[in-house]
Amino acid sequence: MTENALELQQVTQAYRKGHPILDGVSLSVPKGQFVSIIGPSGAGKTTLLRLFNGMVRPASGEVWVEGRRFDTLTGKERRQVQQQVGMIFQDFCLVEESSCLANVLNGSLCRVPFWRVFLDRFPRVEVEQARQALEQVGLAGFADKPAGELSGGQKQRVAIARVLVQQASIILADEPVASLDPGSSRAVLELLRNLQKTQRLTVVMNSHNVEQALQYSDRILGLRQGRVLYEGPSDIWNEEKFRALYGRQA
Ligand SMILES: Nc1ncnc2c1ncn2[C@@H]1O[C@H](COP(=O)(O)OP(=O)(O)OP(=O)(O)O)[C@@H](O)[C@H]1O
Ligand SMILES: [Mg+2]
């Protein structure tokens, strides 16, 4: 049996009562796969990712992360699961005035005692890990540079290094290359794909670029008006499915 990294069972989510954004969604993301979620604006893609990092809780249904029921967890156990889930965003979410190394070290906050963070005295092993993560994403010489001085593509790679230091097993990427030029987009997507393959990370990416989603993913999930319209391997995607997903909404 395939192990699932992420699972939703009959999840309904509403920001306002009576207006479901996700409407009875069930899905599973097998461990170690690259899955892209596509679909029109407002379909609920970002909301769906937020269920998996605990930023929103479902009104009904179940959320499972790495084999554990997540939506009902509280306290330390909830934080343990959250630590497994790294997030990267379209706008990178870096501290621009801090160095790249400091930004990447933020990924270790869950392990480092508060007083060390407060005094900026991270354990040497954590600093070494952060340097290695920067190297892994191709930014070895950038440790001391303020993040704000980097290009968009480089910033996204710092954000990925931060997730690596977090030791997350799952990366949720909400339109990670939407602000990048084609060359930088390719570099970031290839990096994500490479990490997924070599480190058996699970990657779930929201995207408006169907071509990129098809190129880099194992599976595609089409979301429309809060419902899963299509879920399957990326190589059997076709024009008919595209029309059904993006055709005029009722
Ligand atoms: N915090 C919030 N409070 C109230 N409504 C929200 C909130 N966040 C999102 N929504 C609404 O939920 C719906 C789905 O939003 P969501 O951001 O999940 O869509 P999306 O598929 O990610 O869209 P896009 O492709 O534009 O990013 C939209 O109608 C949006 O207005
Ligand atoms: Mg979104």
Side-chain angles (χ1 to χ4, degrees), residues 15 21 40-47 50 175 208:
Y15 292 106
I21 301 301
S41 220
K45 302 182 296 298
T46 295
T47 304
R50 284 180 176 162
E175 300 189 41
H208 279 296

Side-chain angles (χ1 to χ4, degrees), residues 195-214:
L195 290 170
Q196 172 246 335
K197 283 187 169 162
T198 57
Q199 306 206 6
R200 209 167 172 243
L201 292 176
T202 305
V203 179
V204 181
M205 173 173 84
N206 281 350
S207 176
H208 279 296
N209 188 322
V210 178
E211 212 173 301
Q212 279 174 351
L214 294 177

Side-chain angles (χ1 to χ4, degrees), residues 25-98:
V25 172
S26 296
L27 60 89
S28 52
V29 176
K31 224 176 172 51
Q33 283 207 348
F34 194 127
V35 174
S36 285
I37 303 176
I38 59 174
S41 220
K45 302 182 296 298
T46 295
T47 304
L48 197 154
L49 286 195
R50 284 180 176 162
L51 286 166
F52 290 126
N53 70 359
M55 281 164 79
V56 298
R57 284 188 201 252
S60 63
E62 299 179 3
V63 181
W64 291 75
V65 175
E66 297 288 19
R68 293 176 80 180
R69 174 87 188 263
F70 177 50
D71 55 291
T72 49
L73 278 187
T74 53
K76 194 174 166 202
E77 284 187 316
R78 185 173 174 81
R79 285 195 296 279
Q80 276 172 355
V81 175
Q82 278 174 317
Q83 198 187 320
Q84 297 285 99
V85 182
M87 189 96 199
I88 60 172
F89 305 89
Q90 177 178 352
D91 59 0
F92 323 119
C93 287
L94 299 179
V95 184
E96 299 250 322
E97 54 280 5
S98 295

